[in-house]
Amino acid sequence: MSKFVLVTGGAGYIGSHTVVSLVQNGYTPVIVDDFRNANRIVLKGLESILGKLPLLHEIDVCDQKSLDALFKQYTFEGVIHFAAYKAVGESVSEPLKYYRNNILGLVNVLECMIKNHVNNFVFSSSCTVYGEPQGQKEVTESTPKLLPESPYGYTKWMGEQIIADTFRSAPQLRIMNLRYFNPVGAHESALIGEFPIGRPNNLLPFITQTAIGKQEQLIVFGNNYPTKDGTCVRDFIHVVDLAEAHVRALQYLWKQSAGKLDYLNVGTGKGSTVLELIQAFETKTGLKLNWKFGPRREGDVVEIYANVDSSFKKIAWKAQRTIEDAVMDAWNWEKYLNS
Ligand code: UD1
């Protein structure tokens, strides 16, 4: 029988792509999402890609009672926990909103797992736990964690700590913390993708919205960083590659004969500057983007990219898609949203 996998935040950006990968690998995702930060258009997209609607329960992960009832309804073979807020700036102005949702949601999920004897857990962590890497900009999983710059960052940093403490007391758990670098792009069908609510904070959605005319001009934050062209360097990872990493991570956990607490970087292993992403967009689409330099954004890391040796060794995963694929897929998705 196909394995049931609980996917909290499964209607969100990374969650929805992971739902597709799970189904394509023969598993049965069960989405929990209350659509506070997701759009129902994603359901239509999932239905078209998969041929039918995935199982879906509109539950808030902070609602312990409903979540526990769901754990009783299904026998989950694993849990992938995405449901969380992720806007860095908003987390500074509304920290308690972030601590309530991101921390309480995580605690509830872990409690339900332990209570209902579900052992396999994949957590959406972030390269934000490395802060601004000192010295080497290519970080491995053992690069020291630094204190984050924002409440959002703290929820990931503390999330990993809560998980590690939980593992000490419940060593039967098999846990993979996936540290995402910068997820970009959309499904190649252009039927699902990122759906920023309000003005986008992230770079590629801002680029596509500028190109389509929803935003007037892209401001590139800073031009005098100590990098090859003066703009920040990030490891942009295609969301479909990232989705596949979750499936591999689960398969890895299912193979373990004992409890496990592990961490993996999910990136391409290559850094690209902000200007290089803009250049890739212009080259692939043939469009001229309206952008200009502006002041640095507070709290921005200058340069970071992933060392991905461990991901390859442990879960046999490597990014297959390029930033050129990502900008094209994101652009097709933007056009679909506006059609
Ligand atoms: C941030 C978080 C990351 C989090 C992600 C999720 C930090 C340091 N990073 O990533 O942990 O997972 O958000 O949303 O907390 N840029 C512009 N103009 C724009 C938008 C962005 O120049 O309009 C630049 C930024 O200055 C940055 C790069 O593009 O150099 C990427 O920015 P963004 O997409 O917001 O991602 P991060 O800040 O890297």
Side-chain angles (χ1 to χ4, degrees):
M1 206 182 78
S2 170
K3 289 182 157 101
F4 287 113
V5 177
L6 173 61
V7 186
T8 74
Y13 175 42
I14 306 169
S16 57
H17 290 82
T18 301
V19 163
V20 171
S21 292
L22 284 165
V23 173
Q24 287 172 345
N25 282 277
Y27 308 118
T28 306
V30 178
I31 298 175
V32 158
D33 207 301
D34 65 0
F35 291 93
R36 77 172 72 172
N37 215 8
N39 193 291
R40 282 172 208 278
I41 193 172
V42 163
L43 296 180
K44 217 178 89 192
L46 286 174
E47 190 173 15
S48 306
I49 296 169
L50 301 173
K52 64 172 188 187
L53 266 178
L55 296 164
L56 165 70
H57 295 267
E58 295 198 29
I59 293 173
D60 174 359
V61 286
C62 294
D63 173 356
Q64 163 89 257
K65 235 176 109 195
S66 305
L67 199 61
D68 189 57
L70 196 74
F71 271 80
K72 305 241 164 350
Q73 184 180 339
Y74 294 93
T75 304
F76 292 127
E77 303 286 341
V79 175
I80 307 180
H81 181 50
F82 293 105
Y85 292 131
K86 62 148 206 170
V88 176
E90 184 188 56
S91 79
V92 175
S93 50
E94 295 181 71
L96 295 178
K97 174 175 165 180
Y98 275 68
Y99 288 122
R100 167 171 290 281
N101 191 44
N102 295 10
I103 300 295
L104 184 57
L106 171 64
V107 169
N108 276 346
V109 170
L110 288 171
E111 281 181 344
C112 283
M113 285 180 60
I114 291 169
K115 204 167 139 192
N116 294 284
H117 313 289
V118 176
N119 288 334
N120 301 294
F121 185 60
V122 179
F123 178 60
S124 294
S125 190
S126 164
C127 69
T128 197
V129 300
Y130 299 116
E132 177 77 60
Q134 308 298 302
Q136 181 56 263
K137 302 301 181 185
E138 182 188 88
V139 295
T140 69
E141 290 76 1
S142 48
T143 296
K145 285 167 71 172
L146 295 176
L147 291 181
E149 292 269 352
S150 68
Y152 158 78
Y154 267 104
T155 65
K156 295 299 173 189
W157 197 96
M158 280 162 45
E160 286 196 357
Q161 187 62 42
I162 289 167
I163 289 168
D165 291 340
T166 305
F167 178 69
R168 263 200 292 182
S169 72
Q172 75 280 11
L173 295 176
R174 296 175 219 165
I175 298 164
M176 179 60 81
N177 293 277
L178 292 181
R179 293 174 173 163
Y180 311 156
F181 282 67
N182 284 62
V184 285
H187 193 259
E188 37 269 36
S189 65
L191 294 167
I192 54 172
E194 186 164 10
F195 202 95
I197 293 176
R199 201 178 156 85
N201 299 294
N202 296 118
L203 180 60
L204 190 49
F206 212 102
I207 290 177
T208 59
Q209 288 201 5
T210 304
I212 208 123
K214 273 196 222 162
Q215 305 294 338
E216 207 172 300
Q217 189 175 44
L218 168 76
I219 307 296
V220 172
F221 301 135
N223 64 355
N224 56 358
Y225 284 107
T227 58
K228 63 176 165 181
D229 61 20
T231 63
C232 294
V233 173
R234 293 290 184 274
D235 186 336
F236 297 103
I237 169 83
H238 196 294
V239 66
V240 175
D241 282 328
L242 175 55
E244 279 162 9
H246 290 79
V247 177
R248 297 286 173 90
L250 265 182
Q251 290 170 336
Y252 168 80
L253 296 178
W254 286 327
K255 275 201 306 231
Q256 303 302 314
S257 49
K260 181 113 200 150
L261 174 62
D262 220 333
Y263 303 85
L264 283 179
N265 285 341
V266 195
T268 63
K270 184 173 171 284
S272 305
T273 66
V274 172
L275 290 187
E276 283 170 340
L277 195 73
I278 295 173
Q279 180 68 53
F281 180 82
E282 293 191 327
T283 307
K284 286 298 287 183
T285 60
L287 298 167
K288 185 87 198 75
L289 195 72
N290 181 14
W291 70 269
K292 67 167 187 190
F293 284 120
R296 290 181 176 193
R297 183 172 71 177
E298 210 190 313
D300 261 341
V301 163
V302 179
E303 176 167 2
I304 187 167
Y305 55 98
N307 175 295
V308 289
D309 294 350
S310 275
S311 301
F312 188 61
K313 264 191 232 132
K314 288 187 181 167
I315 62 172
W317 174 90
K318 212 173 174 176
Q320 304 294 324
R321 295 160 181 85
T322 62
I323 59 168
E324 283 76 22
D325 298 327
V327 293
M328 212 50 223
D329 292 333
W331 178 235
N332 288 333
W333 163 245
E334 185 70 58
K335 286 193 290 186
Y336 168 75
L337 280 178
N338 287 276
S339 61

